């Protein structure tokens, strides 16, 4: 279990549960084990949701905020797909996008973008 909040909560409920099952400690252990497993499953689900959100490519037609540095997935003129850095700045670039490879390759097509999480 990774969550300190969850650990503190479970410790807080141990005493009342132990009192409820004072004559059957094995039942108490079973209930606490079920509670711990529920917390672990909730943590796993939260991690999966976060990973899915952090690895999702955003629509380039719905760009980030102005002057934001991002990671972009682009198609090169030869059809190859590449992931690289980029800036999005409305007033500075014709398409709004300045991809790190603009000076090397012209006519890059942006497929998607992700924020850089620091």
């Amino acid at each position: 279990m990774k969550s300190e909040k969850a650990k503190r909560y479970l410790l807080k409920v141990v005493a009342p549960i132990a009192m409820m099952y004072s004559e059957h400690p094995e039942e108490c252990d079973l209930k606490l084990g079920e509670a711990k497993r529920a917390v672990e499953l909730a943590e796993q689900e939260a991690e999966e949701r976060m990973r899915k959100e952090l690895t999702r490519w955003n629509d380039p037609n719905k760009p980030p905020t102005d002057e934001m540095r991002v990671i972009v997935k682009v198609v090169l003129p030869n059809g190859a797909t590449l992931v690289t850095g980029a800036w999005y700045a409305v007033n500075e670039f014709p398409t709004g996008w300045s991809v790190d490879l603009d000076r090397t390759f012209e006519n890059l097509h942006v497929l998607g973008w992700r924020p850089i999480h620091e």
Side-chain angles (χ1 to χ4, degrees), residues 63-70 72 86-99 102:
T65 59
D66 193 28
E67 298 186 13
M68 183 175 180
R69 181 98 170 124
V70 296
V72 292
W87 281 96
Y88 185 79
V90 177
N91 297 322
E92 292 185 40
F93 313 111
T95 63
W97 291 103
S98 173
V99 178
D102 277 347

Side-chain angles (χ1 to χ4, degrees), residues 10-44:
L10 285 176
L11 287 173
K12 194 167 87 174
V13 299
V14 166
I17 290 175
M19 286 173 38
M20 287 171 52
Y21 295 98
S22 59
E23 295 179 20
H24 304 283
E26 67 283 346
E27 190 70 25
C28 178
D29 291 343
L30 180 64
K31 296 294 181 194
L32 288 173
E34 289 172 357
K36 286 179 185 178
R37 181 66 182 141
V39 169
E40 289 168 356
L41 290 171
E43 288 176 338
Q44 287 174 3

Side-chain angles (χ1 to χ4, degrees), residues 35-101:
K36 286 179 185 178
R37 181 66 182 141
V39 169
E40 289 168 356
L41 290 171
E43 288 176 338
Q44 287 174 3
E45 186 178 311
E47 289 171 355
E48 288 169 9
R49 282 193 314 267
M50 286 179 66
R51 177 169 170 59
K52 186 175 181 179
E53 179 59 27
L54 292 173
T55 59
R56 178 179 61 88
W57 289 105
N58 294 287
D59 184 343
N61 296 319
K62 297 176 184 169
T65 59
D66 193 28
E67 298 186 13
M68 183 175 180
R69 181 98 170 124
V70 296
I71 298 169
V72 292
K73 183 187 280 190
V74 298
V75 176
L76 301 174
N78 67 0
T81 303
L82 183 71
V83 175
T84 188
W87 281 96
Y88 185 79
V90 177
N91 297 322
E92 292 185 40
F93 313 111
T95 63
W97 291 103
S98 173
V99 178
D100 288 349
L101 299 171

